[in-house]
Amino acid sequence: MGTNPYRLADRRQRLARGRLEGPLPRLARAAPLVGAVAAVWLSGGLYTTLLAGGPTAWAAGFTGLVARIGLVVGALLALTTYDALVRGPDRGVLDIHPLLPGPWLAARVEGLVRDRLPWLLVAAVFLVPVLPNTKAFGLGAIVLLGAWVAGLGAGLGVNLAAPGLATRPALAGLFDAIRGPNPRMQAALLYAPGVALALSGTATVAAAWGAGRLLLGDPVGALGLAAPFVVGALGVVLAVRSAPAMAGIGAVLGEIEAAWAQAEDPEDARAVYLEWSVRLAPAPLRLALRKELRHLWRSHRGWVTASWGLALLAGIAGWSSASDGIGRFAQVGATALAAFGYVGVRLGAGDPPWLDTFLPLRGRIPARALAVFSAMQVVVAVGTATLLVRQGSEAFGVFARLELLAVTLAAVAAWAGDALRARGGLVYLPAALLLWAIGGVA
Amino acid sequence: MIELQGVRKVYGRSVAVDRIDLTIGAGEMVGLIGHNGAGKSTVLKMLAGQLLPTEGTVRVGGIDVREDPAGARRKLGYVPEEPALYDYLTAREFLELVVAVRGGGDIEAALEMTGLGADADRLIREYSQGMRRKTALAAAVVSRPPVIVLDEALNGLDPPSAARVKAALRQLCDDGATVLLSTHILETVERVAGRVVMLAHGRVVADEQTADLGAEGLERMFLQRIAETAAG
């Protein structure tokens, strides 16, 4: 433990963070698991459709199921590995000091394994409907583990090796063909996440195919099942060999950032989530709407990211052809909108008391309602889109009802937050409950 | 020792640094001054290996930063304008990390130099902006690298701390270190640096010993060179 300074620093930071954060963030980390359980419950129809039929159809459905879950797991690992290695917060701190490649890589891998291992458990929850068939469950678990290993290994190997590969004369022609205006090393870094994604995805699909063949008694399937572990192992070997090159990565990234800084409009750099929608708003509201969207993103980003999770839940709820699917989607969608609408109160509660005196803005309440309504659209849109695929035109009725609910909730929240500040919740919450009952359940 | 030979840095059509030749020897403390956008930070980032020159050679402690970035970094202690630190470590723990990756150093001396001793066991997240800067300074000098580059590193320090840091930098120079100090505060340069280099539009427009600047001092030279550059 004491011989690796990066590991020691990681451990000290983890302990300090744990001491200061208290139990709430730890509980929040269980949210993906709770979400997975909810998603499995809400999407029961999906599993029965895929797993219907005789042994051959069952095996095909099973292959499709584990391939989809495995692809998500592998993709998450491959992409977040890039962030952790190349773009993480460590970069600014460590880039100005010498690098000890071996200890650095060991500490990063250990951190990645520790942080990402729970994702495997979350993914395994999606195999619960297969549990009665223990052999299939076991094979599915191996596929998911393989996808996890392949995502991690490919992410490590490709991202660390990319800049070094770009300097090889033998590959100069290839990089020149794909690099556009970027120097070769920059192009290599830009393309690396895509290559890692493709490798882990291909290996995962091979493993899912192998699991399906093994279910049908074909031993050749074992080769497919082993593919992601081979990719993962090769990735780790490549990473170990390439880690010293990370000493020069700061300059490559510095060049990329400098090029962006030259190309970027300063106002674009300040733009936030959904800010493009300002130009669609009525002219008198644009200034206030821009302010509300920036306030929403910068002060309440957790709510915005939560809205994406709610959209995922609504999408899963909508992905059902069961007869009660529409009602279930309406309930989930209305609950998500009612919960998210509270951010409208929070936006008003955070305004300083002197704001009206020193910065009077016309149309603040409608602009705030519009900002909240705009952020709600991801929930309505994702949910309705999946419902449209599974239930056809019946989705439009629910869509209209949810949009009406969203408008009303956003307006009530914006007014309550502005008039009553933090106490606006006392008005909003009962009103939202009433509107939820009318709009979502009735 | 710092050497820049024919260094040019181009971003698209914009020339940030235009064929700079500059040598700073061991034991020298040089102030780098210039208006906003003159190219100071680009020069410092090239020394730190965070940008590569489009043309020319940058050497730190005799090592080419392009050929051997890891080796050059070992020779350099760098304080960026906005230092990044680990918020959930104490200053002492952070310096222990730096000492470990640099292969040695004197943590107590670095804490003493920056006046951080009493707060060294508090988490960095609790620090003021000035204390964060002191931590970055301590990290840059803790292992006594032969070259120290400071980008606006004295900004935000209280007067006693600034005086202590200036004295310590002077001592490091006397011990043979090369110090390059970029700042907007001309008075600081005038007091601590033996030589001043002024950049304008990516070029060196003045390179003088501070002792030769006379009674009218650095401010007058600065304004005069800015006016000459704008006119010419």
Side-chain angles (χ1 to χ4, degrees), chain A residues 140-369:
Chain A
I142 294 172
V143 173
L144 296 189
L145 177 64
W148 189 94
V149 169
L152 183 63
L156 285 169
V158 174
N159 287 311
L160 291 183
L165 288 174
T167 59
R168 291 198 179 178
L171 296 173
L174 173 67
F175 278 101
D176 286 344
I178 62 171
R179 71 189 173 93
N182 305 292
R184 287 178 200 146
M185 282 171 81
Q186 288 173 31
L189 265 186
L190 295 173
Y191 283 109
V195 174
L197 204 59
L199 281 175
S200 85
T202 307
T204 302
V205 169
W209 169 83
R213 298 306 305 166
L214 285 170
L215 266 183
L216 293 172
D218 182 356
V220 174
L223 291 175
L225 203 59
F229 297 98
V230 174
V231 167
L234 289 175
V236 171
V237 171
L238 195 56
V240 170
R241 292 182 56 175
S242 310
M246 287 306 276
I249 207 80
V252 180
L253 294 171
E255 295 291 332
I256 294 173
E257 279 153 21
W260 271 108
Q262 289 292 311
E264 199 172 48
D265 184 306
E267 188 56 29
D268 285 345
R270 284 192 283 273
V272 298
Y273 175 62
L274 292 176
E275 194 164 312
W276 57 268
S277 64
V278 169
R279 72 182 95 103
L280 305 177
L285 282 185
R286 283 179 195 161
L287 187 61
L289 179 58
R290 177 174 282 114
K291 179 243 166 198
E292 293 299 332
L293 286 169
R294 289 183 174 183
H295 188 187
L296 174 65
W297 177 250
R298 290 171 186 164
S299 300
H300 302 282
R301 194 171 303 185
W303 285 80
V304 176
T305 46
S307 76
W308 303 335
L310 293 171
L312 184 65
L313 270 184
I316 292 168
W319 188 264
S320 170
S321 56
S323 57
D324 63 344
I326 290 183
R328 196 165 53 193
F329 166 66
Q331 283 180 32
V332 172
T335 307
L337 294 179
F340 181 76
Y342 184 67
V343 77
V345 178
R346 299 285 303 270
L347 282 170
D351 277 347
W354 43 262
L355 189 69
D356 277 340
T357 310
F358 293 101
L359 193 65
L361 264 184
R362 282 179 58 208
R364 190 170 67 233
I365 297 177
R368 184 168 298 154

Side-chain angles (χ1 to χ4, degrees), chain B residues 196-228:
Chain B
V196 59
V197 172
M198 182 177 164
L199 295 184
H201 304 295
R203 292 182 178 185
V204 175
V205 293
D207 186 346
E208 310 271 355
Q209 296 296 319
T210 44
D212 299 340
L213 290 171
E216 290 167 330
L218 187 57
E219 187 174 69
R220 185 177 168 81
M221 183 204 85
F222 183 87
L223 295 173
Q224 193 180 335
R225 294 297 161 91
I226 289 281
E228 285 168 8

Side-chain angles (χ1 to χ4, degrees), chain A residues 5-6 8-10 12-14 16-17 19-21 89-90 92-100 108 246-255 258-259 262, chain B residues 9 11-12 14 48-53 69-70 73-74 76 78-80 84-89 92-94 96-98 100-102 123 125-126 139-140:
Chain A
Y6 302 106
L8 179 62
D10 286 353
R12 284 171 161 172
Q13 290 181 84
R14 212 168 50 249
R17 197 175 281 125
R19 271 200 309 274
L20 290 166
E21 282 181 341
D90 280 341
V93 182
L94 300 179
D95 255 10
I96 58 175
H97 298 291
L99 182 78
L100 309 177
R108 288 299 150 268
M246 287 306 276
I249 207 80
V252 180
L253 294 171
E255 295 291 332
Q262 289 292 311
Chain B
K9 182 66 193 174
Y11 303 114
S14 158
Q50 300 201 317
L51 285 175
L52 293 174
R73 214 172 284 171
R74 237 170 261 127
L76 178 76
Y78 174 52
V79 182
L85 302 164
Y86 284 135
D87 283 350
Y88 285 91
L89 289 183
R92 190 186 303 281
E93 289 169 346
F94 184 67
E96 283 171 9
L97 169 67
V98 174
V101 299
R102 286 186 173 271
L123 290 181
R125 74 194 295 263
E126 298 166 2

Side-chain angles (χ1 to χ4, degrees), chain A residues 38-82:
Chain A
V40 168
W41 169 65
L42 287 166
S43 61
L46 173 68
Y47 292 97
T48 51
T49 309
L50 273 174
L51 302 177
T56 310
W58 202 95
F62 171 78
T63 302
L65 179 68
V66 292
R68 285 168 171 82
I69 304 170
L71 283 171
V72 172
V73 171
L76 281 173
L77 260 296
L79 294 177
T80 59
T81 301
Y82 172 80

